[in-house]
Amino acid sequence: MFPVARAAQSLVARGIQHTAVRQAHRQHGPTFHDKYGTMVLLAGAAMFSTVWGYVLTQLKMEWGFSPVGRITPREWRE
């Protein structure tokens, strides 16, 4: 291997090792997701259910999509 490539490779490897050691010794505090993740998920599910519950119960929707028996043809006018 060329000396320049070997030096670059060792610098990259050393940087990765330093990063791994630094992260392993770091004190991990609770993140936003650790603190509030469940509450945000439950609030989103409640909001989703409330909005769709309103939409499905208050809008005047016709639930039978088949037009068979509902549409009668008009007489053809010439």
Side-chain angles (χ1 to χ4, degrees):
M1 189 180 272
F2 297 112
V4 175
R6 191 176 324 133
Q9 184 182 12
S10 69
L11 282 175
V12 170
R14 195 174 310 141
I16 292 171
Q17 287 171 347
H18 283 285
T19 302
V21 167
R22 204 174 2 187
Q23 288 178 352
H25 287 28
R26 198 172 107 196
Q27 294 290 332
H28 292 288
T31 63
F32 175 83
H33 297 288
D34 293 335
K35 288 182 183 177
Y36 308 111
T38 305
M39 289 307 296
V40 170
L41 179 69
L42 292 175
M47 189 69 174
F48 178 86
S49 300
T50 303
V51 168
W52 277 107
Y54 174 79
V55 167
L56 294 176
T57 58
Q58 298 301 316
L59 292 180
K60 304 296 181 199
M61 288 183 161
E62 292 276 337
W63 287 104
F65 296 117
S66 174
V68 174
R70 277 194 233 149
I71 298 175
T72 55
R74 284 187 271 169
E75 291 295 324
W76 179 259
R77 288 185 255 166
E78 291 189 33

mmCIF file of all heavy atoms in Angstrom, residues 2-51:
data_model
loop_
_atom_site.group_PDB
_atom_site.id
_atom_site.type_symbol
_atom_site.label_atom_id
_atom_site.label_comp_id
_atom_site.label_asym_id
_atom_site.label_seq_id
_atom_site.Cartn_x
_atom_site.Cartn_y
_atom_site.Cartn_z
ATOM 1 N N PHE A 2 0.473 2.281 -0.643
ATOM 2 C CA PHE A 2 1.251 3.510 -0.707
ATOM 3 C C PHE A 2 1.284 4.178 0.663
ATOM 4 O O PHE A 2 0.305 4.115 1.413
ATOM 5 C CB PHE A 2 0.655 4.462 -1.744
ATOM 6 C CG PHE A 2 0.702 3.911 -3.133
ATOM 7 C CD1 PHE A 2 -0.446 3.556 -3.802
ATOM 8 C CD2 PHE A 2 1.928 3.755 -3.774
ATOM 9 C CE1 PHE A 2 -0.395 3.042 -5.088
ATOM 10 C CE2 PHE A 2 1.985 3.249 -5.058
ATOM 11 C CZ PHE A 2 0.821 2.883 -5.715
ATOM 12 N N PRO A 3 2.364 4.851 0.997
ATOM 13 C CA PRO A 3 2.470 5.479 2.312
ATOM 14 C C PRO A 3 1.386 6.532 2.572
ATOM 15 O O PRO A 3 0.871 6.630 3.684
ATOM 16 C CB PRO A 3 3.854 6.128 2.299
ATOM 17 C CG PRO A 3 4.626 5.410 1.250
ATOM 18 C CD PRO A 3 3.625 4.937 0.255
ATOM 19 N N VAL A 4 1.021 7.298 1.564
ATOM 20 C CA VAL A 4 -0.013 8.326 1.758
ATOM 21 C C VAL A 4 -1.362 7.677 2.036
ATOM 22 O O VAL A 4 -2.111 8.093 2.924
ATOM 23 C CB VAL A 4 -0.088 9.245 0.517
ATOM 24 C CG1 VAL A 4 -1.232 10.230 0.643
ATOM 25 C CG2 VAL A 4 1.225 9.961 0.300
ATOM 26 N N ALA A 5 -1.693 6.627 1.295
ATOM 27 C CA ALA A 5 -2.961 5.933 1.504
ATOM 28 C C ALA A 5 -2.995 5.276 2.874
ATOM 29 O O ALA A 5 -4.010 5.293 3.564
ATOM 30 C CB ALA A 5 -3.172 4.893 0.412
ATOM 31 N N ARG A 6 -1.861 4.701 3.299
ATOM 32 C CA ARG A 6 -1.799 4.056 4.602
ATOM 33 C C ARG A 6 -1.986 5.095 5.710
ATOM 34 O O ARG A 6 -2.698 4.852 6.695
ATOM 35 C CB ARG A 6 -0.462 3.336 4.769
ATOM 36 C CG ARG A 6 -0.463 2.431 5.978
ATOM 37 C CD ARG A 6 0.817 1.617 6.137
ATOM 38 N NE ARG A 6 1.379 1.184 4.869
ATOM 39 C CZ ARG A 6 2.671 1.299 4.534
ATOM 40 N NH1 ARG A 6 3.534 1.826 5.377
ATOM 41 N NH2 ARG A 6 3.106 0.887 3.366
ATOM 42 N N ALA A 7 -1.373 6.246 5.570
ATOM 43 C CA ALA A 7 -1.517 7.302 6.569
ATOM 44 C C ALA A 7 -2.959 7.804 6.634
ATOM 45 O O ALA A 7 -3.503 8.021 7.718
ATOM 46 C CB ALA A 7 -0.569 8.457 6.244
ATOM 47 N N ALA A 8 -3.590 7.963 5.485
ATOM 48 C CA ALA A 8 -4.983 8.412 5.455
ATOM 49 C C ALA A 8 -5.892 7.379 6.100
ATOM 50 O O ALA A 8 -6.813 7.723 6.856
ATOM 51 C CB ALA A 8 -5.411 8.675 4.019
ATOM 52 N N GLN A 9 -5.636 6.113 5.813
ATOM 53 C CA GLN A 9 -6.448 5.050 6.391
ATOM 54 C C GLN A 9 -6.297 5.009 7.910
ATOM 55 O O GLN A 9 -7.268 4.844 8.631
ATOM 56 C CB GLN A 9 -6.066 3.705 5.783
ATOM 57 C CG GLN A 9 -6.942 2.567 6.263
ATOM 58 C CD GLN A 9 -6.498 1.244 5.669
ATOM 59 O OE1 GLN A 9 -5.421 1.143 5.090
ATOM 60 N NE2 GLN A 9 -7.334 0.245 5.810
ATOM 61 N N SER A 10 -5.083 5.193 8.402
ATOM 62 C CA SER A 10 -4.881 5.159 9.848
ATOM 63 C C SER A 10 -5.524 6.367 10.517
ATOM 64 O O SER A 10 -6.044 6.261 11.625
ATOM 65 C CB SER A 10 -3.390 5.089 10.184
ATOM 66 O OG SER A 10 -2.759 6.304 9.851
ATOM 67 N N LEU A 11 -5.531 7.515 9.839
ATOM 68 C CA LEU A 11 -6.197 8.694 10.402
ATOM 69 C C LEU A 11 -7.699 8.482 10.498
ATOM 70 O O LEU A 11 -8.329 8.833 11.504
ATOM 71 C CB LEU A 11 -5.901 9.931 9.550
ATOM 72 C CG LEU A 11 -4.541 10.574 9.748
ATOM 73 C CD1 LEU A 11 -4.351 11.708 8.752
ATOM 74 C CD2 LEU A 11 -4.379 11.067 11.167
ATOM 75 N N VAL A 12 -8.281 7.890 9.468
ATOM 76 C CA VAL A 12 -9.717 7.613 9.481
ATOM 77 C C VAL A 12 -10.045 6.608 10.582
ATOM 78 O O VAL A 12 -10.983 6.795 11.362
ATOM 79 C CB VAL A 12 -10.184 7.098 8.101
ATOM 80 C CG1 VAL A 12 -11.607 6.579 8.176
ATOM 81 C CG2 VAL A 12 -10.075 8.197 7.068
ATOM 82 N N ALA A 13 -9.251 5.553 10.672
ATOM 83 C CA ALA A 13 -9.499 4.534 11.692
ATOM 84 C C ALA A 13 -9.345 5.126 13.088
ATOM 85 O O ALA A 13 -10.134 4.830 13.990
ATOM 86 C CB ALA A 13 -8.540 3.363 11.503
ATOM 87 N N ARG A 14 -8.345 5.958 13.283
ATOM 88 C CA ARG A 14 -8.135 6.581 14.589
ATOM 89 C C ARG A 14 -9.300 7.504 14.939
ATOM 90 O O ARG A 14 -9.763 7.543 16.079
ATOM 91 C CB ARG A 14 -6.825 7.355 14.587
ATOM 92 C CG ARG A 14 -6.385 7.720 15.991
ATOM 93 C CD ARG A 14 -5.012 8.353 16.015
ATOM 94 N NE ARG A 14 -4.033 7.572 15.265
ATOM 95 C CZ ARG A 14 -3.078 8.096 14.508
ATOM 96 N NH1 ARG A 14 -2.979 9.405 14.386
ATOM 97 N NH2 ARG A 14 -2.229 7.336 13.871
ATOM 98 N N GLY A 15 -9.808 8.239 13.949
ATOM 99 C CA GLY A 15 -10.961 9.116 14.185
ATOM 100 C C GLY A 15 -12.191 8.330 14.588
ATOM 101 O O GLY A 15 -12.932 8.720 15.493
ATOM 102 N N ILE A 16 -12.411 7.195 13.951
ATOM 103 C CA ILE A 16 -13.556 6.349 14.291
ATOM 104 C C ILE A 16 -13.392 5.791 15.693
ATOM 105 O O ILE A 16 -14.349 5.762 16.476
ATOM 106 C CB ILE A 16 -13.711 5.225 13.241
ATOM 107 C CG1 ILE A 16 -14.128 5.809 11.899
ATOM 108 C CG2 ILE A 16 -14.715 4.186 13.707
ATOM 109 C CD1 ILE A 16 -14.106 4.830 10.757
ATOM 110 N N GLN A 17 -12.177 5.381 16.050
ATOM 111 C CA GLN A 17 -11.938 4.849 17.395
ATOM 112 C C GLN A 17 -12.167 5.927 18.452
ATOM 113 O O GLN A 17 -12.778 5.660 19.485
ATOM 114 C CB GLN A 17 -10.512 4.316 17.503
ATOM 115 C CG GLN A 17 -10.287 3.021 16.758
ATOM 116 C CD GLN A 17 -8.823 2.631 16.714
ATOM 117 O OE1 GLN A 17 -7.951 3.429 17.024
ATOM 118 N NE2 GLN A 17 -8.569 1.391 16.306
ATOM 119 N N HIS A 18 -11.695 7.135 18.198
ATOM 120 C CA HIS A 18 -11.898 8.223 19.155
ATOM 121 C C HIS A 18 -13.383 8.526 19.339
ATOM 122 O O HIS A 18 -13.845 8.756 20.457
ATOM 123 C CB HIS A 18 -11.164 9.484 18.702
ATOM 124 C CG HIS A 18 -9.696 9.433 18.954
ATOM 125 N ND1 HIS A 18 -9.146 9.592 20.205
ATOM 126 C CD2 HIS A 18 -8.656 9.226 18.117
ATOM 127 C CE1 HIS A 18 -7.844 9.492 20.123
ATOM 128 N NE2 HIS A 18 -7.510 9.264 18.863
ATOM 129 N N THR A 19 -14.119 8.521 18.252
ATOM 130 C CA THR A 19 -15.550 8.782 18.331
ATOM 131 C C THR A 19 -16.249 7.692 19.140
ATOM 132 O O THR A 19 -17.105 7.981 19.984
ATOM 133 C CB THR A 19 -16.160 8.857 16.925
ATOM 134 O OG1 THR A 19 -15.489 9.871 16.198
ATOM 135 C CG2 THR A 19 -17.636 9.172 16.983
ATOM 136 N N ALA A 20 -15.885 6.447 18.908
ATOM 137 C CA ALA A 20 -16.505 5.343 19.638
ATOM 138 C C ALA A 20 -16.192 5.430 21.124
ATOM 139 O O ALA A 20 -17.076 5.227 21.971
ATOM 140 C CB ALA A 20 -16.024 4.008 19.069
ATOM 141 N N VAL A 21 -14.968 5.747 21.481
ATOM 142 C CA VAL A 21 -14.591 5.857 22.895
ATOM 143 C C VAL A 21 -15.319 7.020 23.549
ATOM 144 O O VAL A 21 -15.817 6.913 24.664
ATOM 145 C CB VAL A 21 -13.056 6.030 23.026
ATOM 146 C CG1 VAL A 21 -12.665 6.451 24.424
ATOM 147 C CG2 VAL A 21 -12.367 4.737 22.637
ATOM 148 N N ARG A 22 -15.412 8.140 22.844
ATOM 149 C CA ARG A 22 -16.090 9.311 23.401
ATOM 150 C C ARG A 22 -17.566 9.021 23.648
ATOM 151 O O ARG A 22 -18.119 9.402 24.677
ATOM 152 C CB ARG A 22 -15.943 10.467 22.412
ATOM 153 C CG ARG A 22 -16.061 11.830 23.028
ATOM 154 C CD ARG A 22 -15.765 12.886 22.013
ATOM 155 N NE ARG A 22 -15.502 12.220 20.752
ATOM 156 C CZ ARG A 22 -15.084 12.790 19.642
ATOM 157 N NH1 ARG A 22 -14.866 14.025 19.614
ATOM 158 N NH2 ARG A 22 -14.866 12.135 18.544
ATOM 159 N N GLN A 23 -18.223 8.334 22.730
ATOM 160 C CA GLN A 23 -19.639 8.034 22.897
ATOM 161 C C GLN A 23 -19.860 6.988 23.970
ATOM 162 O O GLN A 23 -20.873 7.002 24.653
ATOM 163 C CB GLN A 23 -20.236 7.574 21.578
ATOM 164 C CG GLN A 23 -20.376 8.701 20.585
ATOM 165 C CD GLN A 23 -20.925 8.239 19.255
ATOM 166 O OE1 GLN A 23 -21.066 7.045 19.016
ATOM 167 N NE2 GLN A 23 -21.236 9.180 18.395
ATOM 168 N N ALA A 24 -18.932 6.067 24.146
ATOM 169 C CA ALA A 24 -19.094 5.020 25.148
ATOM 170 C C ALA A 24 -18.957 5.588 26.553
ATOM 171 O O ALA A 24 -19.592 5.097 27.490
ATOM 172 C CB ALA A 24 -18.063 3.917 24.920
ATOM 173 N N HIS A 25 -18.156 6.647 26.745
ATOM 174 C CA HIS A 25 -17.928 7.192 28.080
ATOM 175 C C HIS A 25 -18.849 8.361 28.412
ATOM 176 O O HIS A 25 -18.754 8.934 29.474
ATOM 177 C CB HIS A 25 -16.474 7.654 28.198
ATOM 178 C CG HIS A 25 -15.512 6.512 28.286
ATOM 179 N ND1 HIS A 25 -15.740 5.285 27.747
ATOM 180 C CD2 HIS A 25 -14.297 6.414 28.873
ATOM 181 C CE1 HIS A 25 -14.732 4.477 27.981
ATOM 182 N NE2 HIS A 25 -13.826 5.143 28.658
ATOM 183 N N ARG A 26 -19.692 8.708 27.498
ATOM 184 C CA ARG A 26 -20.572 9.860 27.704
ATOM 185 C C ARG A 26 -21.739 9.499 28.600
ATOM 186 O O ARG A 26 -22.283 8.399 28.517
ATOM 187 C CB ARG A 26 -21.088 10.328 26.347
ATOM 188 C CG ARG A 26 -21.646 11.722 26.368
ATOM 189 C CD ARG A 26 -21.943 12.158 24.967
ATOM 190 N NE ARG A 26 -23.402 12.145 24.837
ATOM 191 C CZ ARG A 26 -24.033 12.179 23.694
ATOM 192 N NH1 ARG A 26 -23.382 12.161 22.586
ATOM 193 N NH2 ARG A 26 -25.332 12.196 23.666
ATOM 194 N N GLN A 27 -22.149 10.412 29.453
ATOM 195 C CA GLN A 27 -23.335 10.207 30.284
ATOM 196 C C GLN A 27 -24.568 10.434 29.412
ATOM 197 O O GLN A 27 -24.710 11.487 28.804
ATOM 198 C CB GLN A 27 -23.342 11.196 31.455
ATOM 199 C CG GLN A 27 -22.228 10.984 32.440
ATOM 200 C CD GLN A 27 -22.422 9.701 33.228
ATOM 201 O OE1 GLN A 27 -23.536 9.249 33.429
ATOM 202 N NE2 GLN A 27 -21.319 9.105 33.654
ATOM 203 N N HIS A 28 -25.429 9.454 29.374
ATOM 204 C CA HIS A 28 -26.629 9.566 28.545
ATOM 205 C C HIS A 28 -27.792 10.046 29.392
ATOM 206 O O HIS A 28 -28.240 9.353 30.291
ATOM 207 C CB HIS A 28 -26.973 8.222 27.906
ATOM 208 C CG HIS A 28 -25.975 7.774 26.890
ATOM 209 N ND1 HIS A 28 -25.855 8.379 25.662
ATOM 210 C CD2 HIS A 28 -25.033 6.808 26.909
ATOM 211 C CE1 HIS A 28 -24.883 7.792 24.970
ATOM 212 N NE2 HIS A 28 -24.367 6.841 25.715
ATOM 213 N N GLY A 29 -28.263 11.241 29.096
ATOM 214 C CA GLY A 29 -29.449 11.761 29.757
ATOM 215 C C GLY A 29 -30.671 11.415 28.934
ATOM 216 O O GLY A 29 -30.564 11.043 27.764
ATOM 217 N N PRO A 30 -31.833 11.523 29.529
ATOM 218 C CA PRO A 30 -33.047 11.212 28.755
ATOM 219 C C PRO A 30 -33.245 12.227 27.632
ATOM 220 O O PRO A 30 -33.054 13.424 27.819
ATOM 221 C CB PRO A 30 -34.162 11.304 29.790
ATOM 222 C CG PRO A 30 -33.603 12.096 30.915
ATOM 223 C CD PRO A 30 -32.126 11.905 30.896
ATOM 224 N N THR A 31 -33.595 11.734 26.474
ATOM 225 C CA THR A 31 -33.843 12.597 25.327
ATOM 226 C C THR A 31 -35.306 13.013 25.312
ATOM 227 O O THR A 31 -36.103 12.592 26.155
ATOM 228 C CB THR A 31 -33.517 11.865 24.017
ATOM 229 O OG1 THR A 31 -34.403 10.749 23.896
ATOM 230 C CG2 THR A 31 -32.070 11.391 23.991
ATOM 231 N N PHE A 32 -35.648 13.829 24.349
ATOM 232 C CA PHE A 32 -37.042 14.261 24.209
ATOM 233 C C PHE A 32 -37.969 13.064 24.034
ATOM 234 O O PHE A 32 -39.041 13.003 24.619
ATOM 235 C CB PHE A 32 -37.180 15.202 23.005
ATOM 236 C CG PHE A 32 -38.590 15.607 22.719
ATOM 237 C CD1 PHE A 32 -39.171 16.655 23.402
ATOM 238 C CD2 PHE A 32 -39.342 14.935 21.767
ATOM 239 C CE1 PHE A 32 -40.475 17.029 23.142
ATOM 240 C CE2 PHE A 32 -40.639 15.303 21.497
ATOM 241 C CZ PHE A 32 -41.211 16.362 22.194
ATOM 242 N N HIS A 33 -37.520 12.089 23.230
ATOM 243 C CA HIS A 33 -38.354 10.919 22.964
ATOM 244 C C HIS A 33 -38.496 10.056 24.208
ATOM 245 O O HIS A 33 -39.546 9.449 24.431
ATOM 246 C CB HIS A 33 -37.780 10.109 21.805
ATOM 247 C CG HIS A 33 -37.771 10.868 20.525
ATOM 248 N ND1 HIS A 33 -38.911 11.156 19.815
ATOM 249 C CD2 HIS A 33 -36.760 11.437 19.830
ATOM 250 C CE1 HIS A 33 -38.614 11.849 18.743
ATOM 251 N NE2 HIS A 33 -37.310 12.042 18.724
ATOM 252 N N ASP A 34 -37.452 9.995 25.024
ATOM 253 C CA ASP A 34 -37.551 9.248 26.271
ATOM 254 C C ASP A 34 -38.546 9.908 27.221
ATOM 255 O O ASP A 34 -39.300 9.239 27.915
ATOM 256 C CB ASP A 34 -36.192 9.158 26.960
ATOM 257 C CG ASP A 34 -35.199 8.322 26.172
ATOM 258 O OD1 ASP A 34 -35.644 7.453 25.395
ATOM 259 O OD2 ASP A 34 -33.983 8.541 26.331
ATOM 260 N N LYS A 35 -38.530 11.231 27.257
ATOM 261 C CA LYS A 35 -39.399 11.953 28.191
ATOM 262 C C LYS A 35 -40.847 12.001 27.715
ATOM 263 O O LYS A 35 -41.772 11.752 28.479
ATOM 264 C CB LYS A 35 -38.909 13.396 28.357
ATOM 265 C CG LYS A 35 -37.647 13.537 29.143
ATOM 266 C CD LYS A 35 -37.324 15.028 29.248
ATOM 267 C CE LYS A 35 -36.033 15.265 29.969
ATOM 268 N NZ LYS A 35 -35.702 16.697 30.012
ATOM 269 N N TYR A 36 -41.048 12.381 26.452
ATOM 270 C CA TYR A 36 -42.393 12.718 25.983
ATOM 271 C C TYR A 36 -42.902 11.840 24.854
ATOM 272 O O TYR A 36 -43.997 12.091 24.345
ATOM 273 C CB TYR A 36 -42.414 14.170 25.497
ATOM 274 C CG TYR A 36 -41.878 15.142 26.497
ATOM 275 C CD1 TYR A 36 -40.669 15.792 26.267
ATOM 276 C CD2 TYR A 36 -42.553 15.408 27.672
ATOM 277 C CE1 TYR A 36 -40.163 16.693 27.183
ATOM 278 C CE2 TYR A 36 -42.063 16.301 28.597
ATOM 279 C CZ TYR A 36 -40.858 16.945 28.349
ATOM 280 O OH TYR A 36 -40.374 17.816 29.255
ATOM 281 N N GLY A 37 -42.155 10.829 24.434
ATOM 282 C CA GLY A 37 -42.535 10.054 23.256
ATOM 283 C C GLY A 37 -43.895 9.391 23.364
ATOM 284 O O GLY A 37 -44.717 9.465 22.457
ATOM 285 N N THR A 38 -44.159 8.760 24.502
ATOM 286 C CA THR A 38 -45.435 8.060 24.675
ATOM 287 C C THR A 38 -46.598 9.039 24.704
ATOM 288 O O THR A 38 -47.651 8.798 24.103
ATOM 289 C CB THR A 38 -45.406 7.229 25.964
ATOM 290 O OG1 THR A 38 -44.272 6.373 25.917
ATOM 291 C CG2 THR A 38 -46.654 6.399 26.110
ATOM 292 N N MET A 39 -46.407 10.159 25.392
ATOM 293 C CA MET A 39 -47.495 11.145 25.482
ATOM 294 C C MET A 39 -47.797 11.769 24.115
ATOM 295 O O MET A 39 -48.960 11.979 23.778
ATOM 296 C CB MET A 39 -47.127 12.244 26.487
ATOM 297 C CG MET A 39 -47.133 11.777 27.914
ATOM 298 S SD MET A 39 -48.671 10.977 28.417
ATOM 299 C CE MET A 39 -49.822 12.306 28.265
ATOM 300 N N VAL A 40 -46.764 12.046 23.335
ATOM 301 C CA VAL A 40 -46.981 12.606 21.998
ATOM 302 C C VAL A 40 -47.704 11.588 21.123
ATOM 303 O O VAL A 40 -48.619 11.930 20.371
ATOM 304 C CB VAL A 40 -45.639 13.048 21.364
ATOM 305 C CG1 VAL A 40 -45.806 13.395 19.898
ATOM 306 C CG2 VAL A 40 -45.055 14.210 22.133
ATOM 307 N N LEU A 41 -47.317 10.322 21.229
ATOM 308 C CA LEU A 41 -47.969 9.272 20.446
ATOM 309 C C LEU A 41 -49.441 9.141 20.832
ATOM 310 O O LEU A 41 -50.324 9.072 19.965
ATOM 311 C CB LEU A 41 -47.248 7.941 20.661
ATOM 312 C CG LEU A 41 -47.829 6.750 19.926
ATOM 313 C CD1 LEU A 41 -47.617 6.897 18.433
ATOM 314 C CD2 LEU A 41 -47.200 5.468 20.424
ATOM 315 N N LEU A 42 -49.738 9.129 22.125
ATOM 316 C CA LEU A 42 -51.124 9.008 22.566
ATOM 317 C C LEU A 42 -51.947 10.239 22.201
ATOM 318 O O LEU A 42 -53.112 10.120 21.808
ATOM 319 C CB LEU A 42 -51.165 8.774 24.073
ATOM 320 C CG LEU A 42 -50.620 7.422 24.536
ATOM 321 C CD1 LEU A 42 -50.606 7.355 26.060
ATOM 322 C CD2 LEU A 42 -51.430 6.288 23.958
ATOM 323 N N ALA A 43 -51.352 11.422 22.305
ATOM 324 C CA ALA A 43 -52.072 12.639 21.923
ATOM 325 C C ALA A 43 -52.370 12.644 20.425
ATOM 326 O O ALA A 43 -53.472 13.026 20.005
ATOM 327 C CB ALA A 43 -51.251 13.868 22.300
ATOM 328 N N GLY A 44 -51.425 12.192 19.618
ATOM 329 C CA GLY A 44 -51.660 12.117 18.179
ATOM 330 C C GLY A 44 -52.740 11.111 17.828
ATOM 331 O O GLY A 44 -53.591 11.362 16.970
ATOM 332 N N ALA A 45 -52.730 9.970 18.517
ATOM 333 C CA ALA A 45 -53.764 8.958 18.266
ATOM 334 C C ALA A 45 -55.135 9.475 18.684
ATOM 335 O O ALA A 45 -56.149 9.243 17.995
ATOM 336 C CB ALA A 45 -53.429 7.676 19.018
ATOM 337 N N ALA A 46 -55.207 10.194 19.797
ATOM 338 C CA ALA A 46 -56.486 10.755 20.248
ATOM 339 C C ALA A 46 -56.989 11.807 19.266
ATOM 340 O O ALA A 46 -58.184 11.843 18.933
ATOM 341 C CB ALA A 46 -56.325 11.359 21.641
ATOM 342 N N MET A 47 -56.104 12.665 18.793
ATOM 343 C CA MET A 47 -56.496 13.692 17.834
ATOM 344 C C MET A 47 -56.962 13.069 16.521
ATOM 345 O O MET A 47 -57.982 13.483 15.960
ATOM 346 C CB MET A 47 -55.306 14.622 17.584
ATOM 347 C CG MET A 47 -55.637 15.826 16.794
ATOM 348 S SD MET A 47 -56.677 16.892 17.767
ATOM 349 C CE MET A 47 -56.764 18.291 16.707
ATOM 350 N N PHE A 48 -56.224 12.065 16.049
ATOM 351 C CA PHE A 48 -56.602 11.350 14.827
ATOM 352 C C PHE A 48 -57.993 10.742 14.969
ATOM 353 O O PHE A 48 -58.846 10.893 14.099
ATOM 354 C CB PHE A 48 -55.563 10.263 14.553
ATOM 355 C CG PHE A 48 -55.849 9.416 13.357
ATOM 356 C CD1 PHE A 48 -55.436 9.817 12.101
ATOM 357 C CD2 PHE A 48 -56.515 8.208 13.482
ATOM 358 C CE1 PHE A 48 -55.694 9.024 10.990
ATOM 359 C CE2 PHE A 48 -56.773 7.421 12.385
ATOM 360 C CZ PHE A 48 -56.367 7.828 11.129
ATOM 361 N N SER A 49 -58.229 10.059 16.096
ATOM 362 C CA SER A 49 -59.522 9.409 16.314
ATOM 363 C C SER A 49 -60.648 10.426 16.424
ATOM 364 O O SER A 49 -61.749 10.210 15.901
ATOM 365 C CB SER A 49 -59.470 8.569 17.591
ATOM 366 O OG SER A 49 -58.479 7.592 17.476
ATOM 367 N N THR A 50 -60.393 11.546 17.092
ATOM 368 C CA THR A 50 -61.417 12.572 17.254
ATOM 369 C C THR A 50 -61.800 13.190 15.915
ATOM 370 O O THR A 50 -62.990 13.318 15.605
ATOM 371 C CB THR A 50 -60.901 13.671 18.204
ATOM 372 O OG1 THR A 50 -60.551 13.070 19.446
ATOM 373 C CG2 THR A 50 -61.937 14.738 18.433
ATOM 374 N N VAL A 51 -60.808 13.550 15.125
ATOM 375 C CA VAL A 51 -61.096 14.196 13.838
ATOM 376 C C VAL A 51 -61.838 13.246 12.914
ATOM 377 O O VAL A 51 -62.855 13.603 12.313
ATOM 378 C CB VAL A 51 -59.794 14.715 13.182
ATOM 379 C CG1 VAL A 51 -60.025 15.121 11.743
ATOM 380 C CG2 VAL A 51 -59.231 15.861 13.986
#
